Amino acid sequence: IAKESGAHVQAELNGYLSQVEMLGTMPDLGMEGAPAEDKMDILNSYKDSYGWLSANIFEVDGTLLGNANYSIADKEYFQKAVTGVVCTNDPAYQEQMGRMVINYAAPLWKNGVAGSQVIGVIVVTADASVFSDMMSSLLVCDGGSAYMINKNGDVIASSDYDSVLNVENTIKDSETDSSLRKLAAIERKMIAGETGTGSYRYEGHSEMSAYVPIDNNGWSLAICAVQREFTGTTILCIAIILISIL
């Protein structure tokens, strides 16, 4: 289940990246000297079609096309994209939009010819709650959970959305709460890119998790089963996780 779930999340993520990468190879967007208004009309049509929150073009110096006073030159996703790499940042809460968002970035190639000259960066901002919706769809047992963490251990998607909004970090919390140390040890393995299983106690319950890395920015996914009682159903759920992960 964990491996299949990780592959599902990766496929969804790759789909979003491919959409943005495609924009970077559009001749009408990569034509130097073309009016900014015409380029934005094209981008906005795709934004409306795909349901994105925003779509913009940035110059190679990081400034927004048509607004030199706004720059994202210091953002890691921009710095990667301007070198020709399609990438994302980690989901984060955006106060102006009042929601968790994620940015997808792709190089804008001169005249739409991939591998030629990068003349800008396409950045698409989308609602990141879709990843938490995915986590909710991955639950295999009553009382179970599923979540993703980034390379720092922050929860970036979860079947418990409050843990995302609160940017929970078990590794950090375990420094002052000894009851979280076993779970923190598992999550250290997760951010190290390992695949495996582990058992721990959380909020008074015995739980087991299966975890796999996601090939994006050091993300990792875990699916957890609660062992409240050793019923046949509970054992079956745990067995499903173990068989799938090994």
Side-chain angles (χ1 to χ4, degrees), residues 96-230:
Q96 290 182 328
M97 294 183 177
R99 66 180 81 191
M100 296 291 295
V101 303
I102 183 170
N103 294 306
Y104 300 97
L108 177 59
W109 298 102
K110 184 176 182 179
N111 297 321
V113 180
S116 58
Q117 178 185 350
V118 177
I119 64 167
V121 169
I122 303 282
V123 177
V124 165
T125 302
D127 190 339
S129 66
V130 62
F131 293 105
S132 289
D133 292 340
M134 288 183 200
M135 297 302 103
S136 295
S137 72
L138 300 179
L139 304 184
V140 295
C141 303
D142 291 340
S145 62
Y147 65 96
M148 290 197 300
I149 57 176
N150 63 16
K151 62 184 178 182
N152 300 316
D154 300 329
V155 176
I156 56 173
S158 176
S159 53
D160 174 16
Y161 198 54
D162 284 343
S163 65
V164 180
L165 295 177
N166 294 330
V167 196
E168 292 186 5
N169 188 309
T170 299
I171 295 174
K172 291 180 180 177
D173 292 343
S174 68
E175 295 174 1
T176 55
D177 185 347
S178 60
S179 69
L180 296 174
R181 287 176 183 169
K182 289 195 73 173
L183 177 55
I186 292 171
E187 294 192 359
R188 287 190 181 92
K189 293 180 179 180
M190 290 172 64
I191 64 178
E194 296 184 23
T195 296
T197 62
S199 59
Y200 56 93
R201 287 189 64 81
Y202 184 72
E203 295 184 347
H205 303 296
S206 295
E207 300 189 10
M208 177 171 283
S209 70
Y211 50 90
V212 292
I214 303 296
D215 187 22
N216 183 69
N217 292 353
W219 296 0
S220 184
L221 178 152
I223 297 178
C224 310
V226 179
Q227 305 174 59
R228 289 197 181 105
E229 298 176 1
F230 286 95

